[in-house]
Amino acid sequence: MVDVTGNTRITGLFGCPVHHSQSPAMHNAAFRHLGLDFIYVPFNVQSDDLGVAVSAIRAFSMVGVNLTIPHKEQVVSLLDWVDDDALKIGSVNTIVNDEGMLRGYSTDGYGFIEDLISSGKSPESAKVVVLGAGGSARAIIFTLARRGAAEIAVVNRTYSRALELTIALNGVLGEEKIKPVALDSDEAKQSISAADLLVNCTSVGMYPDTDAQPIPSDWLHDGLFVYDQIYNPAETDLLREAKKTGARTANGIGMLVHQGARSFELWTGQKPPVEIMKNAVLKGFNVTNR
Ligand code: NAP
């Protein structure tokens, strides 16, 4: 437990729900490890209360907060300043209280790229297929494009959503390397057969008893690096099937840790103890590392 004093600096998480989040364990372990008088508290905040909750950051002199579902997009218009990349992505997952000025950042794309590279896959010149066109896909696609991916096919169940994301991101990036593809199409299969990086940004795989995997197993091949953003379960059906073909794989635990590590750095100005944070997350899930 963290000893709370009159000087303790408060950080936390605004989301709904927040009860299953590993972020409190991850950040509080890092604060303890570095001997910082900080605490991280999860707050269950309904969408209608987000404005009040954001005002409370100032009122309570909080250091800052993380945002999770469903607040990352809605919060952008409530801040005093938003980082340029976060504005282009249209999502903020970290607020820093800079002497009453609330600054917004997006660390999701950073977390993904850090973990991808440390898992041994460079985004440079990669031919990418991203499954999904939701909030996390947006941050990941933007960051992959910025970090030198050659082409990115956005394969989504709802084609119109992939199209809308493609138009928006190609527009802010000023290039045409992103294209929309319908999930139930020959083009989806062809895009994956030509790709060297496949990233699952759908929620398919979180509930192994009810959903299986986002694409048929026979679309996978040994030339792929398959990254599944899902971290619980640690090995989704998609990753298991990919490994069978000889493809290299990674799950989303490292992304979770690295996006948190970047938030930690923004709040404390200190180098985050990444391994301590990762161990706290793994302990929380009671799973072994990938
Ligand atoms: P989101 O905005 O709700 O988007 C969900 C996406 O999944 C949509 O593209 C949706 O397609 C697709 N999808 C849902 N059910 C599907 C199905 N049965 N078949 C095919 N496609 C389906 O969610 P998100 O915030 O991007 O998060 C997606 C996943 O990433 C979640 O599992 C989340 O926990 C995980 N995540 C991990 C990290 C990390 O740090 N590792 C960070 C963020 C998110 P439609 O457009 O057709 O509905």
Side-chain angles (χ1 to χ4, degrees), residues 27 66 69 79 82-83 131 146 148 153 165 203 219 223 274:
H27 284 283
N66 283 139
I69 290 171
L79 303 175
V82 178
D83 170 74
L131 304 174
R146 269 287 175 78
L165 179 152
S203 44
W219 290 12
V274 174

Side-chain angles (χ1 to χ4, degrees), residues 1-4 8-13 18 21-43 62-64 66 257 260-261 263-264 267-268 272-281 283:
M1 276 299 282
V2 177
D3 289 325
V4 177
T8 302
R9 316 278 324 269
I10 305 166
T11 65
L13 173 68
V18 290
S21 172
Q22 295 301 317
S23 292
M26 175 168 75
H27 284 283
N28 287 323
F31 295 146
R32 266 195 308 273
H33 179 75
L34 293 180
L36 298 174
D37 192 5
F38 280 58
I39 190 170
Y40 187 104
V41 186
F43 295 96
M62 293 174 75
V63 178
N66 283 139
V257 171
S263 300
F264 181 96
W267 293 326
T268 65
V274 174
E275 277 308 306
I276 297 290
M277 296 173 85
K278 185 167 186 175
N279 287 338
V281 171
K283 198 170 153 200

Side-chain angles (χ1 to χ4, degrees), residues 132-136 156-158 161 201-204 206 229 231 252 256:
S136 62
N156 200 43
R157 177 179 63 178
T158 309
R161 219 172 161 198
C201 292
T202 76
S203 44
V204 181
M206 286 178 79
Q229 263 209 114
Y231 45 77
L256 176 71

Side-chain angles (χ1 to χ4, degrees), residues 48-217:
D48 286 349
D49 295 327
L50 184 62
V52 179
V54 168
S55 298
I57 298 171
R58 271 194 216 94
F60 296 160
S61 299
M62 293 174 75
V63 178
V65 295
N66 283 139
L67 288 311
T68 188
I69 290 171
H71 304 316
K72 289 185 191 183
E73 289 83 22
Q74 194 192 337
V75 80
V76 173
S77 61
L78 301 174
L79 303 175
D80 301 312
W81 178 91
V82 178
D83 170 74
D84 194 42
D85 283 359
L87 261 186
K88 286 176 174 155
I89 294 165
S91 147
V92 160
N93 76 333
T94 306
I95 298 175
V96 176
N97 182 3
D98 182 4
E99 297 181 353
M101 174 174 279
L102 300 184
R103 299 182 182 275
Y105 302 85
S106 173
T107 72
D108 284 332
Y110 168 89
F112 166 73
I113 285 286
E114 278 295 300
D115 191 44
L116 185 72
I117 293 170
S118 62
S119 301
K121 177 65 185 170
S122 168
E124 193 73 38
S125 306
K127 290 184 176 172
V128 187
V129 171
V130 171
L131 304 174
S136 62
R138 226 177 152 93
I140 283 178
I141 292 164
F142 176 85
T143 311
L144 280 166
R146 269 287 175 78
R147 296 295 292 266
E151 56 192 43
I152 305 169
V154 184
V155 174
N156 200 43
R157 177 179 63 178
T158 309
Y159 176 79
S160 58
R161 219 172 161 198
L163 178 64
E164 189 243 323
L165 179 152
T166 298
I167 292 169
L169 290 187
N170 277 337
V172 294
L173 287 158
E175 48 191 2
E176 297 288 321
K177 61 169 79 164
I178 305 166
K179 67 171 181 180
V181 178
L183 178 60
D184 57 353
S185 68
D186 287 344
E187 195 184 354
K189 185 180 178 183
Q190 284 154 12
S191 298
I192 293 171
S193 76
D196 54 59
L197 173 61
L198 177 69
V199 186
N200 180 30
C201 292
T202 76
S203 44
V204 181
M206 286 178 79
Y207 307 102
D209 292 341
T210 52
D211 59 20
Q213 58 183 82
I215 52 164
S217 300

